[in-house]
Amino acid sequence: MTGLAARPLLGERHGQVVLGDANGVAVVHWDPLRRTSRWGRPTRRSRPLRNFGDLLGPLIVSRLAQGLPRASGDRRLLAVGSILHFAGPGDVVWGTGLNPKGPTDATTMGALDVRAVRGPRTAESLRALGAEVPAVYGDPALLLPRVFPELARRPSSPRHELTVVPNLNDLAPRATFPAGWRRDIVNPRSPMRGILRRIRDSRLVVGSSLHAIIVAESLGVPARAVATRHEEPFKYEDYYLGTGRDPRGMLAASVDEAIDMGGAPALNWDPGPLLASFPSDLWR
């Protein structure tokens, strides 16, 4: 996978939020520090959480910004993830979604420069808070095979029958998973390159990691999202609506049910508007 960095560039850290440097533009993404442990006991050391879905924003923006003049301003860009509650007045939003668990301030939301959002649910919520939101929907992770063409080269025969990617908060000791698909579980904190390859080379991807589902569908791999008690259905429904599908009945209640249901209906989505709304003016 030539040209696909294993890690996006990281810049200044602000608590849970990191500002990645994409050719001079700060790309906001969530990557908090967590205390490490050894033999089950916490240590004094901390390291970034590195949840792969939250690292996709800087990766995609950096590739799209290649060849543009290096930016010299102080504008911030939010792309990918349910991180609008980390936004500040004047921030640029491109394909980001809202998380109902996060606090939202009408003054801040009304002062955002919104170019696109993940889906209609996010758009409706932002408009209710006074923001101007165009009807341009889609998660930028859907553009992966376009910005990284090497990812689009799938094997003629999938190497993995099943890949299960849980939401970060659903991780549990492997011994607690049903033996039938325990070996198929992928930790969302694994290296980015390996996760993307595994998804690309799978016959079916299921799990509560929304970005595992988005990446799979962008690559033409059948996928089915699984409901989780740690997240409201809002972000899954927002994504499905933003890609032209009715979210009713789309979420499986368990991994076993997701396997039985198989992949969700195909995307009904044109990448053109999202690509056209990329805020290239930030680099000019």
Side-chain angles (χ1 to χ4, degrees):
M1 295 166 63
T2 306
L4 179 58
R7 294 177 56 164
L9 296 175
L10 296 183
E12 188 176 358
R13 179 175 292 277
H14 295 262
Q16 298 188 85
V17 175
V18 177
L19 304 183
D21 179 10
N23 199 17
V25 170
V27 183
V28 180
H29 57 289
W30 183 74
D31 192 22
L33 294 173
R34 290 285 173 87
R35 186 68 61 85
T36 61
S37 61
R38 186 176 184 183
W39 309 115
R41 296 182 179 182
T43 70
R44 295 182 179 181
R45 300 181 61 184
S46 297
R47 64 180 180 182
L49 193 63
R50 307 209 63 77
N51 182 41
F52 96 100
D54 293 295
L55 304 181
L56 288 170
L59 191 69
I60 294 167
V61 171
S62 294
R63 173 56 67 93
L64 290 172
Q66 284 184 359
L68 297 175
R70 184 167 179 80
S72 58
D74 57 0
R75 301 289 298 278
R76 305 193 323 167
L77 174 61
L78 286 80
V80 180
S82 303
I83 57 172
L84 276 171
H85 53 290
F86 291 127
D91 283 353
V92 178
V93 175
W94 181 63
T96 310
L98 194 69
N99 189 335
K101 297 189 300 183
T104 52
D105 174 70
T107 301
T108 298
M109 297 297 114
L112 294 176
D113 180 356
V114 183
R115 311 297 178 89
V117 291
R118 181 177 55 209
R121 293 275 169 87
T122 291
E124 292 167 6
S125 298
L126 287 181
R127 289 175 188 137
L129 293 169
E132 294 185 11
V133 184
V136 180
Y137 306 128
D139 189 295
L142 288 167
L143 302 175
L144 269 175
R146 292 174 178 267
V147 296
F148 293 101
E150 61 272 23
L151 269 176
R153 294 192 289 269
R154 295 185 62 201
S156 56
S157 179
R159 297 188 180 99
H160 309 283
E161 288 295 315
L162 175 68
T163 291
V164 181
V165 189
N167 177 278
L168 181 69
N169 296 312
D170 288 330
L171 285 175
R174 293 178 68 86
T176 66
F177 290 111
W181 44 266
R182 188 185 307 162
R183 67 183 181 278
D184 300 311
I185 296 167
V186 173
N187 188 327
R189 297 180 63 189
S190 301
M192 173 82 73
R193 186 187 302 256
I195 294 178
L196 296 181
R197 280 177 169 166
R198 171 74 191 227
I199 291 173
R200 179 196 64 187
D201 297 346
S202 298
R203 190 178 301 278
L204 175 67
V205 174
V206 304
S208 50
S209 167
L210 176 59
H211 272 101
I213 303 304
I214 295 173
V215 169
E217 293 194 328
S218 77
L219 299 173
V221 177
R224 177 70 64 172
V226 178
T228 168
R229 63 184 178 85
H230 298 289
E231 297 285 350
E232 294 184 34
F234 181 97
K235 68 178 187 179
Y236 303 96
E237 295 171 354
D238 193 39
Y239 164 66
Y240 284 128
L241 286 167
T243 50
R245 294 170 292 178
D246 187 336
R248 289 176 294 183
M250 294 283 268
L251 280 174
S254 67
V255 170
D256 288 327
E257 182 176 84
I259 295 170
D260 290 340
M261 294 172 72
L267 297 171
N268 181 20
W269 179 76
D270 176 8
L274 183 62
L275 277 168
S277 69
F278 180 70
S280 56
D281 54 289
L282 294 179
W283 287 267
R284 299 194 181 103

